[in-house]
Amino acid sequence: MAPKTWTVKELITVTSDYLKNKEIDSPRLTAEILLAHQLKITRIKLYLNYDQPLDDKEISGYRSFIRRRVNREPFQHITGTQEFWSMDFTVGPHVLIPRSESELLVEQVISLSKENEFRRKGGETILDLGTGSGVLAVSLARELEGAILWASDISDEALEIARLNAKNHGVDERIHFRLGDLWEPFVGQSLKFDVIVTNPPYIASEAFDALSPEVRDHEPRVALDGGKGGMLCIERIIRDGTEYLNPGGWLLIEMDPEQTTEALSLMDENGQYREKRRIRDYAHQYRFVVARKTGTAHNKKHEEGKP
Ligand code: GLN
């Protein structure tokens, strides 16, 4: 008997069932994404080639992707990409896989810029602290043409990926990359920013083991673990942030909803923040804390004497 030939359609059906049995999230979508990756076509193209038979090499390549996913490797590590802000970003084990809620940080910064809240002559200066794959810095560089971007990370490997992503999206010349732990690269540099945006590690160390295997075993712990209670980085960011902000400059931090009240009180105690507020994510949870440094920004609106 001739060996069975599999069509795209059959393979997707069988694989979705298999992934479902293995309790993998979004089984059908996963089956499709990985098959499209194996065939080097888009997911939509799969539907146009539903009855196409696959050859042995394609089948065995696909099988190995499925095996990896069943071993709880995130599909983004298998395809090597994640979409963010409608752009494809290279990702891997050295960077956090960008989450869609972080797009709200990009949105917030853009709207602050539109309100002309911090724009200075020659463009606003924005720091993406802990840039990881570079999604925030790259998206902002693409959206805000006059902005001067800085992006830092503690991980050399992460910075390399961020640089690659900046290059792929044509903004590598516009972003200054710096290696170091939080504020370390900026100590004694007399650099001040109009906006500091950050998605720091904020998971409590004690909660780490309970994370899904996809996150716990495959994503970089240094990008996730925020120490005891998960507040270590957030505390340092709030404590020293005012040193690196221009008067009236904005700080935007992503965190766990349960950390937002504490973050606001830390800002109160600090005394150098005003207009403190929390912003909700798509799941309607407080996910971001936003505040300005005291003092007034010398923004364009005022300089030009407009009302
Ligand atoms: N800034 C990156 C992101 O938003 C990385 C964040 C991190 O590694 N903690 O995805």
Side-chain angles (χ1 to χ4, degrees):
M1 205 171 68
K4 172 164 174 52
T5 46
W6 290 90
T7 63
V8 165
K9 183 182 175 180
E10 290 168 334
L11 207 53
I12 289 174
T13 310
V14 166
T15 308
S16 308
D17 287 345
Y18 177 68
L19 291 173
K20 196 171 171 204
N21 282 333
K22 296 282 181 188
E23 292 174 4
I24 300 295
D25 273 351
S26 314
R28 185 171 174 102
L29 182 65
T30 305
E32 290 181 4
I33 288 172
L34 293 178
L35 188 54
H37 181 60
Q38 170 62 43
L39 301 177
K40 299 187 179 68
I41 58 175
T42 61
R43 251 182 73 220
I44 305 302
K45 266 270 179 79
L46 286 178
Y47 287 86
L48 303 174
N49 295 297
Y50 236 31
D51 298 315
Q52 180 194 309
L54 283 100
D55 65 31
D56 290 351
K57 233 178 112 201
E58 289 165 339
I59 300 268
S60 72
Y62 185 51
R63 278 222 175 96
S64 82
F65 290 160
I66 298 299
R67 216 172 297 130
R68 286 170 65 185
R69 184 64 193 95
V70 168
N71 285 329
R72 300 288 169 158
E73 200 172 330
F75 72 81
Q76 294 93 335
H77 286 181
I78 303 170
T79 61
T81 62
Q82 169 64 40
E83 189 184 300
F84 185 89
W85 203 254
S86 302
M87 292 183 275
D88 281 332
F89 284 88
T90 294
V91 295
H94 290 296
V95 295
L96 189 81
I97 298 167
R99 312 297 204 256
S100 61
E101 59 259 33
S102 303
E103 292 178 335
L104 286 166
L105 281 173
V106 178
E107 239 167 59
Q108 285 294 319
V109 177
I110 292 169
S111 79
L112 292 175
S113 171
K114 289 227 171 87
E115 287 163 21
N116 218 346
E117 282 283 12
F118 55 78
R119 197 174 305 170
R120 1 195 100 235
K121 283 206 166 92
E124 56 267 46
T125 311
I126 303 174
L127 167 63
D128 173 9
L129 188 67
T131 193
S133 61
V135 282
L136 299 175
V138 170
S139 307
L140 288 168
R142 293 285 305 231
E143 292 290 335
L144 304 172
E145 280 179 10
I148 300 155
L149 270 302
W150 292 73
S152 67
D153 206 278
I154 193 171
S155 153
D156 211 356
E157 292 98 337
L159 273 189
E160 210 156 294
I161 292 179
R163 276 201 189 91
L164 173 71
N165 282 321
K167 195 163 192 283
N168 289 344
H169 294 293
V171 290
D172 50 322
E173 309 261 290
R174 303 224 347 255
I175 305 176
H176 307 280
F177 291 97
R178 288 293 178 274
L179 176 67
D181 182 21
L182 287 183
W183 304 114
E184 185 191 61
F186 307 104
V187 172
Q189 303 280 303
S190 64
L191 255 172
K192 305 260 189 211
F193 302 97
D194 299 311
V195 177
I196 298 172
V197 63
T198 180
N199 178 17
Y202 59 73
I203 296 184
S205 300
E206 55 280 16
F208 202 81
D209 287 344
L211 292 173
S212 75
E214 279 84 350
V215 179
R216 185 191 61 215
D217 303 337
H218 295 278
E219 295 208 73
R221 183 156 188 157
V222 66
L224 291 161
D225 192 336
K228 196 163 176 288
M231 288 292 292
L232 245 53
C233 287
I234 295 170
E235 277 168 22
R236 288 168 62 200
I237 290 166
I238 293 173
R239 189 187 64 211
D240 299 331
T242 52
E243 251 190 71
Y244 302 96
L245 282 168
N246 280 316
W250 292 86
L251 175 61
L252 301 92
I253 318 174
E254 181 169 337
M255 63 189 76
D256 189 277
E258 287 186 14
Q259 296 166 335
T260 53
T261 4
E262 194 181 338
L264 287 176
S265 354
L266 288 172
M267 286 175 163
D268 281 338
E269 286 162 26
N270 179 289
Q272 288 193 77
Y273 291 98
R274 62 185 172 94
E275 292 176 53
K276 292 149 273 193
R277 57 181 187 244
R278 297 189 285 176
I279 294 170
R280 294 177 201 266
D281 62 16
Y282 303 118
H284 228 67
Q285 305 243 53
Y286 287 120
R287 176 67 61 191
F288 312 97
V289 167
V290 177
R292 313 180 73 164
K293 186 183 167 171
T294 49
T296 312
H298 300 286
N299 66 36
K300 228 175 170 179
K301 214 169 5 184
H302 293 132
E303 278 166 15
E304 289 171 2
K306 288 183 192 150

